[in-house]
Amino acid sequence: MADFDWGWPKHIDRTAVESALALDFMARPANVVLVAPQGLGKTMIAQNIAYNAVQAGHSVLFTTASQLLLDLGSQDSARALDRRLKHYCTQAGLLVIDEIGYLSYDARNADLLFQVVSRRYEKKPIVLTTNLPFSEWTTIFPNAACAIALIDRVIHHASIISIEGDSYRRRMAEESRAQRKARKS
């Protein structure tokens, strides 16, 4: 986080981010949800939370939503699925699920994610990153009856950290382009 440009986002609750980095949520256990458009540092913050948790002696599993759901969906029996769910739900002290909202999923995938969240609910913390506000999660999980219950469990004990602004990567690309143009002049 030493390289994080706190002045770039138009809005970020630095105190809430620093509290998450200090792992204040782990003891409760509570969740941390980072909500922002792409390019504002959600994944970087989540990686730093995970790193701090490992440094503090916690076991951590960091995965993307698509990797998690692909893994769970590929299990060929109920017993195999139950073993994989235990992997995500009980073995890791902290589960970080990155990139919820970039792809849409069918009802079965929504059910699988619901099972992970539900089994960890009030037992073990989760850090989630998403590019969509919760009101738009029904677009990720169309026709999924459990979407509302999923959101309910995620946010019940959660620090929701919204970040607003323009993409940092886009800014860096534009600055680089401007520098190349200036050198050519």
Side-chain angles (χ1 to χ4, degrees), residues 51-179:
Y51 175 80
N52 288 354
V54 168
Q55 292 295 105
H58 300 282
S59 59
V60 175
L61 181 57
F62 191 105
T63 186
T64 64
S66 60
Q67 289 170 327
L68 171 84
L69 296 173
L70 182 62
D71 181 29
L72 292 174
S74 69
Q75 302 308 307
D76 58 359
S77 70
R79 179 171 284 169
L81 176 58
D82 189 55
R83 273 194 305 271
R84 290 311 290 166
L85 283 166
K86 285 180 183 170
H87 169 73
Y88 291 108
C89 300
T90 61
Q91 292 180 359
L94 174 62
L95 176 62
V96 181
I97 306 173
D98 194 26
E99 299 180 348
I100 294 178
Y102 288 97
L103 301 172
S104 60
Y105 301 100
D106 61 17
R108 180 166 190 267
N109 282 306
D111 292 343
L112 293 171
L113 183 58
F114 175 78
Q115 284 188 55
V116 171
V117 169
S118 184
R119 289 181 182 201
R120 292 184 69 92
Y121 178 65
E122 295 186 327
K123 296 178 186 105
K124 294 188 180 238
I126 301 172
V127 172
L128 298 170
T129 71
T130 181
N131 63 319
L132 296 175
F134 293 112
S135 62
E136 294 180 29
W137 274 33
T138 53
T139 63
I140 306 168
F141 304 109
N143 305 319
C146 69
I148 302 304
L150 171 69
I151 294 166
D152 187 56
R153 281 172 178 77
V154 166
I155 66 172
H156 183 223
H157 302 291
S159 295
I160 300 169
I161 303 170
S162 295
I163 308 170
E164 298 170 9
D166 298 319
S167 171
Y168 183 77
R169 288 186 291 269
R170 185 180 320 148
R171 176 184 112 182
M172 297 308 292
E174 289 171 357
E175 288 176 1
S176 178
R177 195 175 313 120
Q179 289 173 354

